[in-house]
Amino acid sequence: MNIAFITSEVIPFSKTGGLADVSGALPLELSKKKQNVKIFTPKYYSIDPSIHKFEYLHNISPLKIRILNRTYDVHLFKGFLPKSKIEVYFFDCPFFFHRSKFYTNDPDENERFILFSKAVIETIQRLYWAPDIVHCNDWQTGLIPLMIKSNYNWDRLFDKTATIYTIHNVAYQGKFPLDTINKAEVLGRLNFPIAKVEHNNMFNFMKAGISFADIITTVSETYAEEILTAEYGEGMEAVLNYRKSDLFGILNGVDYKIWNPKTDKLIPFNYSLDSLSGKEKNKKNLLEMFNIKMKKNVPLLGIISRLAIQKGFDLLQQIMPDILNLNINLIVLGAGEHEYEEMLNYYAKTHPHKVGLYIGYNNDLAHLIEAGSDIFLMPSRYEPCGLNQIYSLKYGTVPVVRKTGGLADTVYDWNEYNENGLDVGNGFSFVDYNSDALLHTINRAIGDYHNKTNWKKIQLNGMKRDFSWENSANKYIDLYKVAINKKTNK
Ligand code: ADP
């Protein structure tokens, strides 16, 4: 199959969150399974073509892309995913993409991704490459299924192209004023009710993706069910229910070439299932980095996260004094909302021998925290898939999570699963979103931390589980076939 994978971020070139990891890993796995994948992504200012040895595509660029009455030059570069033959096409339009952040609140944010969407489709046309599948991700690419069916439906190249739209987080929808319809020029060419792209009197990129893609996916089975409800659907529940028979959950895999304590080059001491002694040494190293003395039998709680309300920081905030009364250490790596940065700063300053804090983005430290912590905290309000808890499992770092979305699909509560005779308990979880439940669950985890036999078992249950892309990529291939069938039988 020819698969066009369209994404607004992809490792190692650009990353703000899990979407980048998925975009770097899924195409690799698909290509291992003999699928022909090309990736299409913006070239943000921070991506330096000379470092990555990109080729400038003189034969195609500059593309001239028009939005309303202005025409923009879009320059195309071609690179490859590292150590692979997967082509990555980068779209450079300095006016739109040379900004300090990948995503902005600027008034032309809608135009930035209209331009990207059109440029992707027109590049595929110029490559004379007929995709069987166009796989779109998140709101930034939500217009593409619609554009293929409207603006570009004159082109026979797309006659057999089926579209897939993957929701990585239903909360980020790309909502803009209704005049976006004119900017994208999507009305007039196809007769459809405006309700397919409009929600609460706003033009909604994600709603367009959900309405027009042949198949919709999201990144875990539980999240696929949750987003059908008003509690989790963020207003998209009605259109998702309408498309329910075409909605599927596929858990993200993780890349064990990057996240494996046995081979991880970013941690000082490697370790594995057979011998966990390196883990203790990493813990010492990590604590020393923050000038915290390592004491025997004192569990180290780790957090790596965007500091956002989604991740449960409001709960943590309520019980920080209680947590700090416990005989524990806490190390947090994160950046995001000012309120939570302030809160964490306060506790790091008032409890310097107990709390280590790094505000910012630091991949090396993320690896060391996974390797050196005993317990990983992820009490998310909602979590489409979540990667850090899956990395934690592999690193023998026992996750304490709220039972929601991908967390529910990967972390099995030690008490619940063992009481039921299932020998798979690999972490601790709670259901009700409140701080008492979180504190109680942290205490349960600490209780078992002091029972060395139980703890080892919990760690090993996690380390043994395989969440690699192999399985998930097969599921995507099956769905691609379903989408193609749907398209052919229309
Ligand atoms: P989300 O995409 O919602 O932020 P995920 O758990 O799916 O959450 O993915 C987060 C990814 O970003 C993980 O790979 C995690 O290690 C990484 N990450 C998050 N915050 C930081 C940070 N401050 N420094 C380094 N890596 C981070």
Side-chain angles (χ1 to χ4, degrees):
M1 273 183 271
N2 285 345
I3 301 159
F5 192 89
I6 308 172
T7 178
S8 56
E9 49 186 272
V10 52
I11 48 160
F13 309 106
S14 49
K15 171 166 170 171
T16 67
L19 170 61
D21 299 76
V22 174
S23 305
L26 174 58
L28 272 180
E29 199 61 40
L30 291 169
S31 118
K32 268 195 221 154
K33 296 177 187 301
K34 307 279 177 273
Q35 307 300 325
N36 183 14
V37 193
K38 296 185 198 296
I39 300 174
F40 299 83
T41 196
K43 195 201 86 59
Y44 302 106
Y45 186 57
S46 56
I47 304 176
D48 183 346
S50 61
I51 293 182
H52 297 290
K53 302 205 175 72
F54 294 161
E55 172 194 354
Y56 182 75
L57 297 182
H58 290 279
N59 51 343
I60 316 185
S61 47
L63 297 170
K64 303 275 182 198
I65 302 291
R66 188 167 55 92
I67 297 177
L68 292 179
N69 49 9
R70 263 190 83 172
T71 301
Y72 301 88
D73 280 358
V74 179
H75 300 276
L76 255 132
F77 292 87
K78 187 169 87 176
F80 292 90
L81 274 191
K83 298 189 190 129
S84 85
K85 291 190 176 132
I86 299 176
E87 293 171 356
V88 187
Y89 289 84
F90 292 91
F91 296 80
D92 190 14
C93 178
F95 178 76
F96 282 124
F97 292 127
H98 291 203
R99 299 191 183 173
S100 59
K101 289 185 173 162
F102 300 167
Y103 313 123
T104 74
N105 291 321
D106 299 343
D108 59 357
E109 184 72 355
N110 51 1
E111 295 179 35
R112 298 175 74 218
F113 289 98
I114 289 170
L115 173 113
F116 173 61
S117 304
K118 287 185 164 184
V120 168
I121 297 173
E122 296 192 16
T123 298
I124 292 173
Q125 291 175 317
R126 281 168 178 73
L127 294 171
Y128 300 109
W129 182 71
D132 301 293
I133 290 290
V134 166
H135 188 155
C136 302
N137 295 277
D138 273 353
W139 76 259
Q140 292 84 354
T141 63
L143 292 187
I144 291 175
L146 164 56
M147 285 182 167
I148 289 179
K149 289 190 167 105
S150 60
N151 312 40
Y152 297 91
N153 79 335
W154 53 269
D155 192 344
R156 300 283 72 83
L157 188 78
F158 298 115
D159 274 357
K160 292 195 172 138
T161 301
T163 52
I164 304 261
Y165 180 63
T166 298
I167 299 169
H168 295 261
N169 190 334
V170 82
Y172 300 94
Q173 296 172 5
K175 303 175 197 171
F176 300 99
L178 278 178
D179 70 348
T180 307
I181 292 181
N182 307 329
K183 292 180 177 171
E185 296 172 289
V186 287
L187 272 188
R189 296 180 195 238
L190 183 80
N191 216 358
F192 65 85
I194 187 159
K196 290 198 172 208
V197 296
E198 178 266 339
H199 182 68
N200 285 347
N201 217 21
M202 299 288 272
F203 184 89
N204 189 305
F205 276 58
M206 178 172 276
K207 192 166 184 187
I210 297 169
S211 299
F212 288 97
D214 294 302
I215 292 284
I216 304 130
T217 74
T218 188
V219 290
S220 69
E221 284 178 18
T222 297
Y223 194 60
E225 284 166 22
E226 287 175 341
I227 56 179
L228 294 171
T229 66
E231 188 184 350
Y232 290 93
E234 301 277 344
M236 289 297 103
E237 59 276 8
V239 63
L240 284 166
N241 272 291
Y242 184 70
R243 299 285 331 257
K244 194 174 164 183
S245 60
D246 298 317
L247 171 66
F248 299 87
I250 302 180
L251 193 72
N252 286 336
V254 299
D255 187 347
Y256 289 128
K257 281 202 294 303
I258 300 175
W259 293 96
N260 182 347
K262 198 171 178 178
T263 49
D264 191 334
K265 292 194 178 66
L266 298 176
I267 59 173
F269 303 98
N270 291 113
Y271 60 95
S272 67
L273 269 172
D274 311 319
S275 161
L276 286 167
S277 59
K279 186 162 179 62
E280 200 67 6
K281 294 183 195 156
N282 288 312
K283 178 174 175 180
K284 187 158 185 283
N285 201 287
L286 174 59
L287 287 167
E288 273 168 4
M289 240 167 131
F290 289 93
N291 286 322
I292 302 175
K293 233 191 236 134
M294 169 131 157
K295 290 194 204 119
K296 230 178 156 332
N297 294 328
V298 176
L300 172 57
L301 280 51
I303 296 179
I304 304 162
S305 180
R306 281 186 292 121
L307 302 181
I309 192 159
Q310 176 203 334
K311 303 290 181 178
F313 282 95
D314 53 336
L315 295 191
L316 268 177
Q317 187 163 20
Q318 289 164 33
I319 53 166
M320 272 305 269
D322 305 282
I323 294 180
L324 293 174
N325 268 336
L326 302 170
N327 191 18
I328 54 113
N329 290 123
L330 172 68
I331 288 187
V332 184
L333 163 63
E337 285 167 29
H338 185 67
E339 178 189 354
Y340 300 127
E341 292 191 0
E342 288 275 282
M343 181 265 294
L344 292 165
N345 259 320
Y346 169 78
Y347 288 109
K349 280 210 180 98
T350 49
H351 298 72
H353 304 300
K354 217 162 183 177
V355 180
L357 173 66
Y358 184 106
I359 297 281
Y361 190 89
N362 186 331
N363 186 48
D364 292 17
L365 182 58
H367 281 252
L368 186 58
I369 293 177
E370 286 294 1
S373 306
D374 298 298
I375 292 172
F376 191 82
L377 290 185
M378 202 159 164
S380 304
R381 181 183 287 262
Y382 68 91
E383 194 58 72
C385 173
L387 293 172
N388 277 309
Q389 86 281 11
I390 308 182
Y391 302 151
S392 299
L393 290 171
K394 189 71 178 175
Y395 281 71
T397 303
V398 175
V400 168
V401 305
R402 172 147 183 270
K403 198 169 181 174
T404 180
L407 296 170
D409 294 350
T410 51
V411 177
Y412 308 119
D413 188 89
W414 168 250
N415 296 73
E416 180 189 338
Y417 278 82
N418 279 49
E419 270 165 25
N420 293 332
L422 297 167
D423 205 10
V424 293
N426 59 11
F428 296 85
S429 59
F430 61 100
V431 176
D432 293 338
Y433 190 76
N434 68 56
S435 53
D436 287 342
L438 170 58
L439 187 60
H440 176 69
T441 312
I442 292 174
N443 274 314
R444 276 204 293 133
I446 293 174
D448 277 302
Y449 170 81
H450 294 295
N451 178 333
K452 292 301 161 202
T453 323
N454 280 2
W455 198 250
K456 183 94 187 269
K457 183 84 179 77
I458 300 169
Q459 286 181 302
L460 294 187
N461 280 349
M463 294 176 87
K464 275 191 246 163
R465 281 295 295 232
D466 181 3
F467 291 105
S468 57
W469 270 104
E470 164 90 40
N471 262 336
S472 304
N474 283 334
K475 290 186 184 163
Y476 275 107
I477 293 174
D478 289 345
L479 268 190
Y480 291 159
K481 290 179 188 157
V482 172
I484 290 168
N485 269 337
K486 260 193 90 186
K487 168 89 188 181
T488 343
N489 296 327
K490 251 184 193 158

